[in-house]
Amino acid sequence: MLTTSTAQHAREQELLDRVVRSFGTCPDPRLRELLTGLVRHLHAFIREVRLTEREWAAAIEFLTRCGHVTDDKRQEFILLSDVLGASMQTITVANPARGDATEATVFGPFFVDGAPRIPLGGDIAGPAAGEPCWVEGTVTGTDGTPLADARIEVWEADADGRYDVQYDDGRTAGRAHLHTDEDGRYRFWAVTPTPYPIPHDGPVGRLLEAAGRSPMRASHLHFMVSHPGRRTLVTHIFVRGDELLEHDSVFGVRPSLIRDFEKQEPGTPTPDGRQVEGTWSRVRFDIVLAPGEPEDRRGDG
Ligand code: BEZ
Ligand code: FE
């Protein structure tokens, strides 16, 4: 950092103090806290890196481009928040470790409301290509109580790394919801997750390129699990051994969410007698919900 003269430091500090004071009359105390905190950190950043006017203009231009590609299908600002780790930090702050409750991770842009309901043991894949994967587990509270009729939404990319919303023909694939049985158990078929890039054809993709960073996400399967009287959980499971676990572009991997997807040789009998040609995999994910009110977690990044 460049050292600044005492007089220059005082000029900068006087400006910051004036801006902070301008929010002093904000009638909403939380809004006042957010705005003054933002101003303090923003000014600290500008002063620390000695921001040039050219760099300021480039930042404005970048944000403008993010705005131009954002619509009701593409949200470049959330993507920006994701690659800066801000989504994951917000989730970390908002979801402190609670007993043995399953940890949360990023929501991502590919959830769709109204995915079809499947029965226990049903298949979420539909036309999504990929190696079949048997997923099973339980949903319980932190006290171990099995949670009957918990709603589980699951969604994932196909073996080519595409979600159905990225197909041209509107088909539903790789997504569904199901409910736990009276003992809190669930099971379904999916496809074994494979790595794929976040949308990187826009300004955030160019930012990653300029920074020499990869847009790839570690292989994962998304879950959103809800039950009355429990905090809604938005999470994924990741594939143990995936070489991208250390380099997930949105920092979503938590060690507690890495699971063994056990490879099964062709001809290995399946849990439900389904005939599978070729290899398949199986994974167990026991989900523990923290106490709290169910809520819409979709704004959480
Ligand atoms: C995803 O998991 O699908 C995702 C998450 C964050 C940004 C982009 C994609
Ligand atoms: Fe995803």
Side-chain angles (χ1 to χ4, degrees):
M1 192 178 104
L2 293 177
T3 48
T4 50
S5 70
T6 311
Q8 175 65 14
H9 181 276
R11 272 157 51 89
E12 294 170 9
Q13 191 61 38
E14 188 278 331
L15 173 61
L16 168 61
D17 292 343
R18 231 167 352 117
V19 180
V20 168
R21 271 200 311 277
S22 76
F23 289 111
T25 51
C26 175
D28 177 336
R30 177 62 176 161
L31 183 60
R32 186 165 66 238
E33 182 182 9
L34 293 174
L35 291 171
T36 54
L38 175 66
V39 164
R40 281 204 185 89
H41 286 276
L42 183 60
H43 283 238
F45 164 74
I46 293 167
R47 295 168 75 187
E48 180 190 315
V49 303
R50 308 312 297 168
L51 193 71
T52 68
E53 286 167 276
R54 187 190 286 260
E55 289 162 345
W56 174 87
I60 297 293
E61 169 64 21
F62 172 78
L63 292 173
T64 305
R65 276 187 272 122
C66 288
H68 285 159
V69 300
T70 295
D71 58 22
D72 56 349
K73 291 214 165 57
R74 171 84 179 243
Q75 229 305 352
E76 200 73 0
F77 291 103
I78 294 184
L79 215 50
L80 177 61
S81 163
D82 292 343
V83 303
L84 295 179
S87 307
M88 203 53 195
Q89 190 66 276
T90 306
I91 290 163
T92 304
V93 168
N95 296 267
R98 288 166 211 232
D100 294 329
T102 303
E103 291 190 283
T105 186
V106 287
F107 195 83
F110 297 122
F111 175 76
V112 174
D113 251 331
R117 181 171 180 170
I118 55 164
L120 284 166
D123 194 342
I124 74 159
E131 180 189 68
C133 175
W134 175 257
V135 186
E136 65 188 339
T138 54
V139 180
T140 60
T142 40
D143 56 359
T145 318
L147 298 177
D149 204 31
R151 182 181 172 111
I152 305 178
E153 298 271 357
V154 273
W155 66 106
E156 65 174 335
D158 65 17
D160 299 323
R162 286 194 312 153
Y163 283 82
D164 58 0
V165 289
Q166 297 172 303
Y167 299 168
D168 301 327
D169 56 12
R171 283 175 302 165
T172 297
R175 69 177 72 247
H177 75 277
L178 66 160
H179 290 253
T180 53
D181 68 13
E182 64 278 10
D183 297 317
R185 291 176 305 200
Y186 73 89
R187 52 197 171 273
F188 61 89
W189 284 100
V191 297
T192 308
T194 49
Y196 65 88
I198 63 168
H200 60 110
D201 56 346
V204 169
R206 285 200 284 286
L207 177 99
L208 290 179
E209 206 179 306
R213 273 180 52 185
S214 161
M216 294 302 287
R217 288 223 59 199
S219 313
H220 60 273
L221 173 61
H222 292 261
F223 283 76
M224 179 160 63
V225 187
S226 52
H227 191 272
R230 310 286 160 167
R231 188 171 161 82
T232 299
L233 172 70
V234 173
T235 197
H236 329 327
I237 48 174
F238 296 92
V239 180
R240 194 178 314 283
D242 182 348
E243 57 194 32
L244 288 165
L245 287 173
E246 298 288 328
H247 310 282
D248 185 45
S249 54
V250 300
F251 308 96
V253 179
R254 293 193 192 273
S256 71
L257 299 175
I258 301 170
R259 288 290 177 280
D260 291 307
F261 283 70
E262 295 165 14
K263 193 122 191 129
Q264 309 294 315
E265 291 308 319
T268 310
T270 57
D272 62 350
R274 173 176 167 171
Q275 297 299 312
V276 174
E277 280 179 26
T279 59
W280 55 283
S281 69
R282 63 185 302 165
V283 62
R284 182 166 187 94
F285 181 37
D286 292 326
I287 298 162
V288 180
L289 297 185
E293 282 315 301
E295 58 196 294
D296 191 336
R297 296 274 330 279
R298 263 164 289 165
D300 291 5

